[in-house]
Every structure is written in structure tokens, then in C-alpha cells.
Amino acid sequence: MKGRFDLNNNTRRFLLTGLTIILLITGGMTVLKYLQPTQEQKEVPVYSFESTAGIDYQVFFRPNNFFPQQSAGPGQAYITPLTEYVEAHFNYLLTSDEPADIQGQYSATALLTGYVEKKQGEERIKVKAWEINNNVVPATPFSGQQDRLELSTAAPINIRHYTNFAETVAKEIRFSADVVELKVTYDIAGTVKTEQGETQLQAAPYMLIPIKGNSFMVEGVLEDKKEGSITEMQTVPIPGIEQTRLTWLIISCVMLILLVGTWVVTRGTTPDPLLRELASIFKKHGDRIVHVAEGLPGISKDLLLKVNSFENLVAVADEISQPILYEMVAEEIHNFYVIDDPLLYTYHPSPLLLEHDVSESIGSARKTDEVDF
């Protein structure tokens, strides 16, 4: 076939083997991906909602001769002896994409706790000593068939009442807690129902007020955001499976084309044994070979001795301490000599030389007797 590229047999075999292995791998992956199902059972949200429960507040002060300000908003430090009460505003907002049956209740409680601080290792921990619990907002139900629910209520937190209680406990039972904190929690609990099922509502933001001391800041988790959903099992497509199948199929086709193309447009060739032997000779003994520019003078065939291998010629050169001479008579005729006057030892790696009179390549007589060493 014309136009085929010649490749060394070993190189061509290696290339074809490599392409075959890659084709088997990519083909196997292609088959595996096509055997893989395109759909799966998965829980899919059929209803979802977002909710936010928060506490806002305003601090009101007792009338005094020092400051005319009657109240202050969030984010400040407040003087405890001047504080009358904290007006807490409790808010809840639920939004969804479609109406649902929403039911539940909300309430707010104030928990006053006295702690004793104890050192544990390098840290100080709070150990509860006493606590009292008051309802700030009683349990209040809510319900509706809607996609938006808003709840709002307010209640005063009498800071003076809790401060006086802590001082009375310290005075009456002669026990003063190291830390006294008031935790006001806004609890929302309920359910959301649709035809597909139901899910729970739950939120509990809180404000934390230190009671003991001359000043306080309102801390805690003042906002509680949540997301919820109702799910059901559905059969859905596996993402990316079709694209993955196509990718592996394309890769397999490309590898098949490369394999067939390599097989068709290339042919294996065997390296010339003469050139291979010459390369080996010059690689191993090139430093002791002398290149002859012109043919050697004529010599009688009786004094011309041919050896069977270059190693034998090397042995002769070593024995008589003479260099190895080399001449290229033709492209495929190469002669190596060692002179041991009057004898001439020669080695001819070229197989074509056997068809010619050896004496012609060195002058008057090139036909030799073969001598084995």
C-alpha cells in the first residue's frame, strides 16, 4: 500500500498495544456508563418556607436629676440603677411559595438565674445556684391557611423587679451569687401541613441581661432564621449522566480511529542487522578504531586472514598491540583490519562482501581464506 509510514517493529507494536489498552479502558467506561441508570429515587422538596423569629427592645429609664433621656434603643450600655424596664417586642414572619395549614403557639418566658463562678483549670465556669421562671407572654395559639404568617407582640421586662429580687435573696439568706442573669426567651412551636405531608416549626431567640452590677448590655441570640420543607420521594434524572455517556463515547471513538489509523497507515520494519552491528561495534570500541580514508595497498591472499567476529579481531589487536583499521568500501561493505606485518587480519560484517572478491576492496587481491579464532 502506497503512502504507508515505516515504523520500527517494536515501536509499532508498542504503539498498537498502548492504543488497544486505552481503547479497552475507555470502551469499558462507556459500557459502564450506559449500563448505569439515568434516574434515581430522591427526596424532593414539594413545599418550602423561610421563617424569622426576632426580639427587638427599647430600654426605659427612671426619672432622675442627671439625664433627661427617657429611653434608649439597642446596642448601648445601660445604667442598672436608672433602668425601669425593658420593652421587648417579639416578632415572627413565615413566608412560602404556596398556602399551607399553619398551626402552633408562641410564648415568652423570663428565667432569672444566680450562678457561682468556679475555677476549672485555667477557665472559670458558672454553676447554677438558684433560678426563678416567670411568664412574660402566655402561650398564645395561632393558625391559618396561608402562604404568609406574621406574629407580633410586646411585653415589658421589669428590670427593677428582678434586681430587687436578687438583692433580697442576698440579704435574707446571706448568699450573694457571683453572676445573676435574666434570660428572656421567645418560643414558637407548631406544624405546617400540606397534602404532601407536614413539617415542624421551631424557633427560640433569646435576650440575655446581666442583673448584678451597675450596668448591663443586652446580649444573646436576638434573631433566629430557619428554612423548612416538606419532601416526597420522586424519580428524578441523575445530573450529568447523559453528558458523561457522550464524553466517554466520543473518547472511545477517537481511540478506535487512532488504533485503526495506526494499523492501516503504518508498517513495521526490521532494523538493518548490518547497521545494528556497526553501531554496536563503534559504541563499544570506537575509541580504538582508526578510520582509513583510502584503500589499503594490495596484499597476497596467502597473507590475508579473515576472522569470524569483531571480538576475535579485538583479541588479535590486543595480542599484538596494534590499532584496528576501518574502511567503508561501499554503503553495505565495511572492512576492519589489524596489521601484523606481513599478515593482515580482517573482519567483514557486510554479508554482501561474501559475494565479491575481497582482494578487490584492498587493491590487487581481496579474496581471502577464512581463519577461525
Side-chain angles (χ1 to χ4, degrees):
M1 176 180 177
K2 294 183 179 181
R4 298 181 67 180
F5 298 96
D6 292 336
L7 283 179
N8 181 283
N9 271 334
N10 291 334
T11 302
R12 186 170 185 265
R13 188 180 301 112
F14 176 80
L15 185 59
L16 291 174
T17 302
L19 291 174
T20 301
I21 292 173
I22 297 175
L23 177 61
L24 291 175
I25 294 173
T26 57
M29 290 300 299
T30 303
V31 172
L32 181 64
K33 291 303 178 182
Y34 272 89
L35 291 176
Q36 182 179 340
T38 58
Q39 296 179 329
E40 63 180 350
Q41 291 289 320
K42 189 176 182 180
E43 286 193 354
V44 178
V46 292
Y47 172 86
S48 60
F49 67 87
E50 295 180 354
S51 66
T52 302
I55 304 176
D56 196 7
Y57 65 90
Q58 189 82 5
V59 179
F60 290 86
F61 304 121
R62 301 173 63 184
N64 62 86
N65 298 324
F66 303 100
F67 307 106
Q69 187 177 6
Q70 296 181 353
S71 64
Q76 295 184 210
Y78 313 99
I79 301 173
T80 304
L82 296 181
T83 300
E84 186 68 36
Y85 67 95
V86 176
E87 182 80 4
H89 300 270
F90 307 104
N91 305 289
Y92 182 73
L93 174 64
L94 181 147
T95 58
S96 62
D97 295 333
E98 56 184 283
D101 183 13
I102 306 172
Q103 296 184 3
Q105 66 176 22
Y106 65 87
S107 63
T109 57
L111 183 65
L112 184 66
T113 308
Y115 297 95
V116 175
E117 289 190 327
K118 180 181 178 181
K119 190 173 183 180
Q120 186 173 18
E122 297 182 356
E123 298 182 354
R124 298 184 68 83
I125 62 173
K126 296 187 299 183
V127 181
K128 182 173 67 175
W130 55 264
E131 70 177 15
I132 60 170
N133 194 349
N134 292 329
N135 283 329
V136 177
V137 176
T140 304
F142 60 85
S143 63
Q145 183 73 31
Q146 54 200 25
D147 58 3
R148 181 182 178 89
L149 174 68
E150 287 188 77
L151 304 173
S152 181
T153 187
I157 310 299
N158 193 333
I159 298 298
R160 296 302 308 165
H161 168 74
Y162 295 107
T163 302
N164 292 337
F165 180 85
E167 292 175 351
T168 301
V169 169
K171 181 178 179 180
E172 294 293 333
I173 64 177
R174 298 180 180 181
F175 172 77
S176 179
D178 296 324
V179 177
V180 180
E181 291 179 339
L182 178 64
K183 182 178 182 181
V184 181
T185 304
Y186 180 38
D187 281 307
I188 300 98
T191 59
V192 178
K193 295 182 181 179
T194 67
E195 294 180 355
Q196 293 85 3
E198 68 176 66
T199 187
Q200 299 296 314
L201 293 179
Q202 189 69 47
Y206 65 89
M207 57 194 306
L208 198 62
I209 303 173
I211 294 300
K212 189 174 181 179
N214 293 322
S215 65
F216 69 92
M217 293 184 66
V218 177
E219 299 177 341
V221 178
L222 300 179
E223 187 175 73
D224 187 3
K225 289 187 175 182
K226 283 187 170 61
E227 294 181 354
S229 63
I230 298 173
T231 62
E232 68 177 11
M233 295 298 296
Q234 292 184 1
T235 301
V236 297
I238 298 176
I241 184 64
E242 294 295 341
Q243 182 63 39
T244 303
R245 285 179 171 182
L246 180 60
T247 300
W248 282 111
L249 180 60
I250 292 174
I251 294 174
S252 298
C253 290
V254 170
M255 297 313 302
L256 179 60
I257 292 172
L258 289 176
L259 177 61
V260 174
T262 302
W263 178 268
V264 172
V265 304
T266 64
R267 62 183 177 185
T269 59
T270 303
D272 189 339
L274 172 61
L275 297 179
R276 187 166 54 192
E277 182 179 4
L278 287 173
S280 176
I281 289 173
F282 283 106
K283 181 179 180 181
K284 294 170 61 176
H285 306 286
D287 57 343
R288 59 187 304 178
I289 296 174
V290 178
H291 292 253
V292 178
E294 297 181 1
L296 295 176
I299 188 171
S300 172
K301 65 178 181 179
D302 296 330
L303 300 177
L304 187 63
L305 303 177
K306 182 180 178 182
V307 298
N308 283 337
S309 68
F310 189 82
E311 296 301 326
N312 287 338
L313 193 63
V314 171
V316 172
D318 290 340
E319 182 67 25
I320 64 177
S321 300
Q322 290 293 324
I324 300 173
L325 305 178
Y326 162 72
E327 69 167 337
M328 185 177 73
V329 179
E331 185 176 350
E332 295 187 354
I333 302 177
H334 305 264
N335 298 328
F336 294 90
Y337 305 98
V338 173
I339 299 175
D340 183 18
D341 193 25
L343 300 176
L344 184 66
Y345 296 90
T346 180
Y347 171 67
H348 312 287
S350 174
L352 297 179
L353 192 60
L354 299 178
E355 301 176 4
H356 297 273
D357 185 354
V358 179
S359 61
E360 293 178 1
S361 68
I362 60 175
S364 61
R366 290 299 182 102
K367 199 169 183 180
T368 66
D369 296 326
E370 188 172 311
V371 178
D372 295 333
F373 284 85

